[in-house]
Amino acid sequence: MIVKSFKDCKDKNTFQPKKCTPKNYSARNDLAGLLFKNFNLILNPLKMKRIYDFTEGNASMKELLGGKGANLAEMSGLKIPVPPGFTITTATCDEYAKSGGKFPKGLMEEVEKYLAKLEKKMGKKLGDADDPLLVSVRSGAAVSMPGMMDTILNLGINDKSVVGLAAVSGNERFAWDSYRRFIQMFGDVVLEVSHEKFEAEIEKMKKARKVKNDVDLDAEDLRKLVTIFKKVVHSTIKKDFPQNPLTQLKLSIEAVFRSWNNPRAVYYREMNKIKGLIGTAVNVQAMVFGNLGNDSGTGVAFTRSPSNGENKFYGEYLMNAQGEDVVAGIRTPEPISHLQKQNPKIYAELTAIYKKLEKHYRDMQDMEFTIERGKLFLLQTRTGKRTAKAAVRIAVELVREKMITEKEAVLRVDPYSLDQLLHPMLDPKAKKVVIAKGLPASPGAACGTVVFTADEAERLGKRGKAVILVRKETSPEDIHGMNQARGILTARGGMTSHAAVVARGMGKCCVAGAEALEIDSIKKVFCVAGKTVREGDTLTLNGSTGEVILGKIATVEPKLDHDFAKLMSWADKFRTLKVRTNADTPHDAEFARSFGAEGIGLTRTEHMFFQPERILAVREMIVAENVADRKKALAKLLPYQREDFYRILKAMRGLPVTIRLLDPPLHEFLPQEDKEIRNLAKDLKVTEKKLRDRIAFLHEVNPMMGMRGARLMIVYPEIVEMQSRAIFEAAVKLKKEKIDVIPEIMIPIVGMMEEFHSLAEVVRKTGNAIIQKSGVKLKYAVGTMIEIPRACIRAKKIARQAEFFSFGTNDLTQLTFGFSRDDAPKFVPFYIEKGILEVDPFVSLDQRGVGELVQMGIERGRRDKKDLKCGICGEHGGDPASIEFCHRVGMNYVSCSPFRVPIARLAAAQAALR
């Protein structure tokens, strides 16, 4: 059976798939990876093909060749001008890692064979003294990880070949510039010599020559820098800089393999939940040069705007530069539109290529290109990182352009990313002091405390503080701080710089290239427009306009556009799960309804008790010594509760509203401080001793497992009676006003059928009496929150009495793991780091443990009651991975916070489509 699945393979030894049509890329990509990893590596390791020429692969082979290698091969097949080269597979990286970092036996001999083929194509020899071939060595994982792994350019240059390169190019400055770049990059990446040491020497040289930019240094300056750089290397590692090109190549391949597990790459994979990959591929490619003069250049371009999705060619370039000059933000580049004026022929050719690539891949592409003496080359294409706003617009417009289907559009947008669109924006009417303006690199608004290092951003961010990370330019080493920052501000770089690309991928607000900023990272200040901003000051960024604003600015609720509405309408068409919201106020209910909520899955009644005008009556009820006094206190709460339920039911007119009866233990409503206890005793007209005795009596060693929920209400059934009366009286009033309502009363912390029966009887008796007296027809339901493992086990019995189950997976997770949710942050991160847990089980549902209990509860509950309605109302109700599980086990709905309703709608649709 397994062998039959290989019938379409081209080569019986390599199992290289035949070229796929654009419509089945993703399916074949998954298949290629599955076949390769689970069959070829196990059954045929000795014949495993480690290296592929660019002419051998295709885009379906990302698992094996990495995204970069697979797409270079695909572009070669499309006859797009790509410098030739070859790819060392991800499996070889895995081989390197599993051997403890030993260079795979025989690999260098295979590399030399493919290098010989490359030399033949180019008519040059690597490192030749007269006419040298230079190559780049680049990483490339199956999933794009921009800037997280290592790259080496200009490899093959040495003390002899630099002279030949100068002669054959007729450009001595270019040759020495290439050499100093190579020493700097190789020294940093391979030899682990800090790049700051090289930068410091460049700054010294520019200062001595009284020039501002690197490009102002002449050939002699660069030749001197090469000598200085080699001395920097020797003083650091106590060895000479390697001159043998094959030694350079082997060390570079090894460095790229190592970079798969460097801290920033590991952090990026964790941050983006990238799992299941075995390593990075290594791409060895003939160099083409953008720094040969003013007829050469380099750039990065997107087939549509990655910021807002506009169908417009978008990008940046620099003439007389190499690729890292653009992405590292060393120089601020020109917009791609200027290239049309500067070189119409190249611009027309680039336009034709980008249109061809977008049509071929049926998605927005991120391309890197180089112009070498008037000739265009493509160095990379990949599916472009984009903001949520851009993702939605691009998906909808590609459907309109008949490139993709509605189903594909729904699957193209990451549900997690929608969070970017659903939070407040800067109030356009607010007064503001704009102190600088940069490029609107990643949209949105961010306000926070200024910090100047990634480490400080991480430290404060983890403590819950909002920070703005301010840098001259960011580098991949800043990834941990960027992740914790609310916003990122750089003085250098453009729309395709590292800061911009990574921020857009994270959904972080970013303003890049604010060149007026004079940043002193040592003193931790920046000056601009006559103002000085210090670490600890407050700053606001507008990533949609590029404004840098002093102080904190007011925000307004987001407005969602037509494209968002269209995508959501498609999602609603395909999903089967209903999406409700957790809401305790009419405002939250209305807000969630505007986001498409189909009811309320959880209203927490205890939150209503803490309001100032009510808390005294609650406390009076708690200290009461008999039923009559408790009922007297509860009577004071009844009008408040009735009004609460009236307003919430009215806000959700016609939609179901699940109201959870009182859940927390009573001690949570009582003060703990001496002064507050004394004041409360006076207000309640009881002795301080009596109040303290009552507080001591109600104190619990383990409140989470104490007298709360059903247990509390069985001891004090008058609480159930009051809350039920408030619900039914509010519902009847609305029915009389011709407003349809569907109340669902939920009893929490039930572990036994007998508990539920005792309390449900009180609810139904109270409700039926009120309905009968009013003369209106009112449908209602009484159900329970399943949050105790025993309830899952005894679900069949409980379902005989309950009309719905709502899984409270927050408490169910606590009780299943034996973890306290409040204390778990002390140790769960270590569990994740050590691979004991994949994710925090309070963030994403533990499907193998807690999930099995949930599935058991649903299956047993429906054995005798096939139409038992089941939902989830914990925090997991807004987590896409958990929503997929809810769909799979046959729940009727999920419930989540108002802001996460659209995320849940999209995730539910994707679960159904998959």
Side-chain angles (χ1 to χ4, degrees):
M1 189 72 186
I2 294 176
V3 174
K4 283 183 181 178
S5 67
F6 286 90
K7 66 183 180 180
D8 292 330
C9 292
K10 182 189 288 185
D11 186 295
K12 65 182 180 181
N13 291 323
T14 67
F15 299 109
Q16 179 187 328
K18 290 180 181 178
K19 200 164 195 175
C20 302
T21 62
K23 287 188 178 178
N24 63 6
Y25 272 146
S26 58
R28 287 299 296 270
N29 179 27
D30 291 342
L31 178 63
L34 187 66
L35 297 183
F36 187 86
K37 284 194 284 189
N38 295 337
F39 190 86
N40 192 33
L41 283 177
I42 296 170
L43 300 185
N44 206 14
L46 296 178
K47 292 185 178 181
M48 183 178 72
K49 188 173 170 65
R50 284 171 165 163
I51 304 177
Y52 285 75
D53 190 89
F54 288 171
T55 60
E56 294 179 296
N58 60 64
S60 71
M61 299 172 69
K62 287 183 180 179
E63 289 279 347
L64 180 60
L65 303 181
K68 189 172 292 177
N71 285 327
L72 284 167
E74 187 75 11
M75 286 196 291
S76 297
L78 292 170
K79 308 301 180 188
I80 287 170
V82 172
F86 56 88
T87 301
I88 303 170
T89 66
T90 57
T92 310
C93 178
D94 190 43
E95 190 182 348
Y96 171 83
K98 286 177 177 175
S99 69
K102 293 180 181 177
F103 202 81
K105 188 177 179 181
L107 176 60
M108 203 57 205
E109 288 79 1
E110 294 176 52
V111 168
E112 288 181 31
K113 287 180 184 177
Y114 275 83
L115 178 61
K117 293 178 185 178
L118 177 59
E119 289 173 332
K120 187 176 180 180
K121 286 179 184 176
M122 298 300 294
K124 300 179 179 182
K125 293 280 187 182
L126 185 70
D128 183 74
D130 298 320
D131 186 9
L133 168 68
L134 302 187
V135 297
S136 62
V137 180
R138 298 172 183 256
S139 60
V143 176
S144 177
M145 296 168 55
M148 295 303 111
M149 292 176 292
D150 289 329
T151 291
I152 298 97
L153 304 179
N154 304 329
L155 188 145
I157 198 165
N158 56 28
D159 291 349
K160 292 180 181 178
S161 61
V162 67
V163 178
L165 186 63
V168 76
S169 67
N171 188 331
E172 192 177 7
R173 187 196 180 281
F174 152 72
W176 288 104
D177 186 40
S178 298
Y179 197 8
R180 73 91 187 166
R181 287 172 183 269
F182 175 59
I183 297 173
Q184 186 172 354
M185 192 172 281
F186 188 94
D188 178 24
V189 170
V190 181
L191 304 178
E192 298 182 351
V193 179
S194 170
H195 72 274
E196 281 91 354
K197 291 185 178 181
F198 299 114
E199 285 294 331
E201 295 299 338
I202 293 174
E203 290 303 318
K204 283 182 190 175
M205 180 65 74
K206 288 193 291 189
K207 191 173 182 180
R209 296 281 290 111
K210 297 180 180 178
V211 296
K212 183 179 179 182
N213 299 311
D214 297 3
V215 292
D216 298 322
L217 297 173
D218 62 22
E220 182 59 22
D221 298 328
L222 294 167
R223 186 189 64 75
K224 289 177 182 176
L225 269 179
V226 165
T227 302
I228 293 168
F229 279 8
K230 286 192 289 185
K231 287 179 181 177
V232 168
V233 169
H234 190 274
S235 68
T236 305
I237 67 170
K238 310 306 178 189
K239 292 180 182 178
D240 289 335
F241 188 84
Q243 295 291 308
N244 187 312
L246 289 177
T247 301
Q248 295 173 356
L249 182 56
K250 181 180 179 181
L251 290 173
S252 295
I253 291 168
E254 205 167 358
V256 173
F257 282 160
R258 283 198 308 270
S259 74
W260 173 250
N261 284 314
N262 71 36
R264 66 179 184 267
V266 171
Y267 187 92
Y268 187 88
R269 292 196 294 274
E270 289 173 355
M271 181 180 71
N272 290 285
K273 299 180 175 64
I274 299 171
K275 298 181 184 296
L277 303 185
I278 58 175
T280 179
V282 180
N283 299 287
V284 179
Q285 187 175 24
M287 284 291 301
V288 287
F289 299 97
N291 58 336
L292 275 168
N294 291 330
D295 61 349
S296 303
T298 188
V300 176
F302 296 83
T303 59
R304 299 178 191 232
S305 168
S307 293
N308 61 27
E310 183 183 4
N311 188 1
K312 179 181 178 182
F313 193 31
Y314 178 97
E316 295 170 328
Y317 74 102
L318 282 168
M319 299 308 289
N320 198 18
Q322 283 199 318
E324 73 267 24
D325 295 340
V326 177
V327 297
I330 295 168
R331 290 162 56 190
T332 300
E334 297 289 333
I336 198 75
S337 56
H338 287 192
L339 184 61
Q340 188 172 19
K341 299 173 185 175
Q342 192 169 7
N343 194 324
K345 179 178 175 292
I346 290 291
Y347 184 83
E349 189 179 348
L350 189 58
T351 300
I353 288 173
Y354 97 69
K355 289 181 177 178
K356 182 176 184 177
L357 286 173
E358 183 174 271
K359 187 175 181 181
H360 180 76
Y361 285 100
R362 302 183 310 126
D363 202 354
M364 185 263 276
Q365 294 297 293
D366 168 3
M367 310 179 303
E368 292 180 20
F369 65 90
T370 287
I371 306 162
E372 183 182 85
R373 287 184 168 164
K375 186 174 181 181
L376 177 67
F377 294 91
L378 265 287
L379 307 183
Q380 173 171 282
T381 190
R382 60 188 174 193
T383 300
K385 299 284 183 185
R386 63 203 76 180
T387 64
K389 182 177 178 65
V392 170
R393 180 172 176 177
I394 290 169
V396 171
E397 290 190 352
L398 287 176
V399 172
R400 291 192 192 120
E401 294 163 27
K402 303 192 184 308
M403 280 201 208
I404 62 174
T405 65
E406 291 175 1
K407 288 182 179 180
E408 287 175 303
V410 167
L411 290 168
R412 288 273 176 98
V413 179
D414 178 9
Y416 290 101
S417 73
L418 293 186
D419 206 36
Q420 300 170 32
L421 302 178
L422 306 175
H423 288 284
M425 304 173 292
L426 293 185
D427 184 353
K429 297 177 183 176
K431 292 182 179 179
K432 56 191 177 185
V433 179
V434 178
I435 57 173
K437 192 161 185 180
L439 299 169
S442 186
C447 178
T449 299
V450 170
V451 297
F452 288 88
T453 67
D455 289 344
E456 185 67 359
E458 182 182 44
R459 186 181 73 82
L460 294 178
K462 283 185 173 179
R463 287 165 54 183
K465 192 154 189 175
V467 298
I468 302 294
L469 178 60
V470 179
R471 304 284 280 160
K472 287 182 181 176
E473 71 268 340
T474 63
S475 71
E477 283 77 16
D478 293 326
I479 184 71
H480 59 295
M482 295 174 74
N483 186 40
Q484 291 292 336
R486 295 286 177 87
I488 299 143
L489 171 64
T490 69
R492 300 177 186 166
M495 300 289 279
T496 55
S497 64
H498 174 267
V501 171
V502 173
R504 283 195 293 268
M506 290 180 173
K508 301 278 183 184
C509 169
C510 177
V511 174
E515 294 182 327
L517 270 60
E518 296 177 12
I519 298 173
D520 188 329
S521 300
I522 305 299
K523 294 181 179 177
K524 297 184 177 179
V525 300
F526 73 79
C527 299
V528 63
K531 297 184 184 296
T532 300
V533 177
R534 294 178 170 81
E535 187 160 89
D537 290 348
T538 300
L539 209 61
T540 298
L541 303 180
N542 188 336
S544 301
T545 64
E547 290 176 321
V548 181
I549 304 161
L550 203 58
K552 187 175 182 178
I553 301 298
T555 58
V556 294
E557 298 295 349
K559 291 182 180 178
L560 302 173
D561 60 21
H562 176 74
D563 290 332
F564 181 87
K566 178 60 73 175
L567 184 75
M568 287 294 104
S569 72
W570 295 336
D572 292 342
K573 184 163 61 174
F574 300 126
R575 68 183 168 89
T576 55
L577 270 175
K578 296 287 186 183
V579 177
R580 298 192 189 184
T581 191
N582 302 337
D584 305 332
T585 67
H587 173 268
D588 286 350
E590 291 280 10
F591 193 67
R593 188 162 187 160
S594 72
F595 276 163
E598 296 163 300
I600 292 178
L602 176 63
T603 291
R604 307 170 186 86
T605 56
E606 61 271 11
H607 287 184
M608 304 165 181
F609 287 178
F610 283 101
Q611 294 182 25
E613 70 275 13
R614 308 173 188 200
I615 191 65
L616 188 62
V618 174
R619 290 168 171 173
E620 186 180 329
M621 181 268 294
I622 293 171
V623 300
E625 295 180 331
N626 54 59
V627 173
D629 286 345
R630 273 195 297 277
K631 285 188 173 182
K632 184 179 176 182
L634 288 167
K636 296 177 183 178
L637 287 171
L638 177 62
Y640 293 124
Q641 285 267 275
R642 184 169 53 226
E643 180 63 18
D644 292 331
F645 299 140
Y646 173 86
R647 293 170 64 208
I648 287 176
L649 287 165
K650 186 176 182 180
M652 299 306 285
R653 52 205 171 276
L655 295 176
V657 176
T658 303
I659 300 169
R660 183 178 72 185
L661 300 181
L662 189 64
D663 182 42
L666 294 180
H667 74 86
E668 289 192 9
F669 298 99
L670 294 173
Q672 301 299 317
E673 299 294 327
D674 287 343
K675 184 179 179 181
E676 291 180 357
I677 292 171
R678 285 194 295 271
N679 291 338
L680 180 59
K682 290 179 184 176
D683 292 338
L684 294 177
K685 296 182 175 59
V686 298
T687 66
E688 189 178 329
K689 182 180 182 306
K690 180 179 178 180
L691 181 56
R692 287 186 184 278
D693 288 345
R694 186 63 174 161
I695 291 171
F697 173 76
L698 291 172
H699 172 75
E700 294 182 323
V701 175
N702 190 341
M704 195 264 152
M705 300 174 74
M707 194 171 78
R708 52 177 289 216
R711 303 155 199 163
L712 174 65
M713 290 183 281
I714 284 172
V715 176
Y716 301 129
E718 50 273 17
I719 296 174
V720 188
E721 187 179 338
M722 183 278 289
Q723 289 198 297
S724 299
R725 178 169 295 279
I727 293 166
F728 285 108
E729 286 180 354
V732 162
K733 183 180 178 184
L734 286 162
K735 289 291 283 187
K736 287 181 176 179
E737 294 171 7
K738 308 298 183 187
I739 296 172
D740 192 26
V741 292
I742 310 170
E744 298 178 343
I745 297 90
M746 181 162 70
I747 300 168
I749 308 292
V750 166
M752 296 173 273
M753 183 270 285
E754 292 79 6
E755 283 178 312
F756 180 80
H757 174 72
S758 173
L759 296 170
E761 197 170 40
V762 176
V763 175
R764 289 176 177 135
K765 183 179 178 181
T766 303
N768 291 340
I770 292 169
I771 293 168
Q772 187 174 1
K773 184 179 178 180
S774 70
V776 303
K777 289 184 179 180
L778 175 68
K779 287 185 179 180
Y780 69 92
V782 183
T784 185
M785 203 166 183
I786 303 289
E787 48 198 328
I788 295 174
R790 191 182 193 278
C792 298
I793 296 167
R794 301 294 291 166
K796 181 180 176 182
K797 288 275 189 184
I798 295 171
R800 290 175 184 171
Q801 296 280 329
E803 292 164 286
F804 65 86
F805 283 176
S806 179
F807 287 85
T809 49
N810 296 341
D811 280 352
L812 187 58
T813 297
Q814 291 194 88
L815 290 167
T816 303
F817 273 97
F819 290 176
S820 161
R821 184 172 50 171
D822 295 328
D823 298 318
K826 297 173 185 174
F827 59 87
V828 164
F830 295 97
Y831 273 50
I832 294 170
E833 184 180 322
K834 292 178 182 294
I836 296 168
L837 287 171
E838 287 188 11
V839 294
D840 185 335
F842 294 105
V843 174
S844 192
L845 186 71
D846 164 46
Q847 297 183 23
R848 290 193 294 268
V850 179
E852 283 198 26
L853 284 172
V854 171
Q855 189 167 1
M856 178 194 297
I858 293 171
E859 289 172 355
R860 292 188 177 187
R862 286 176 175 168
R863 277 184 190 169
D864 295 335
K865 189 176 281 187
K866 304 296 182 187
D867 61 347
L868 179 71
K869 183 162 60 178
C870 295
I872 187 173
C873 63
E875 288 301 310
H876 298 118
D879 170 60
S882 305
I883 291 167
E884 191 277 333
F885 169 82
C886 295
H887 170 84
R888 195 168 68 245
V889 298
M891 283 193 188
N892 299 94
Y893 69 87
V894 297
S895 188
C896 56
S897 66
F899 277 114
R900 295 189 76 80
V901 167
I903 295 171
R905 289 164 66 193
L906 184 59
Q910 292 184 353
L913 289 171
R914 287 178 179 138

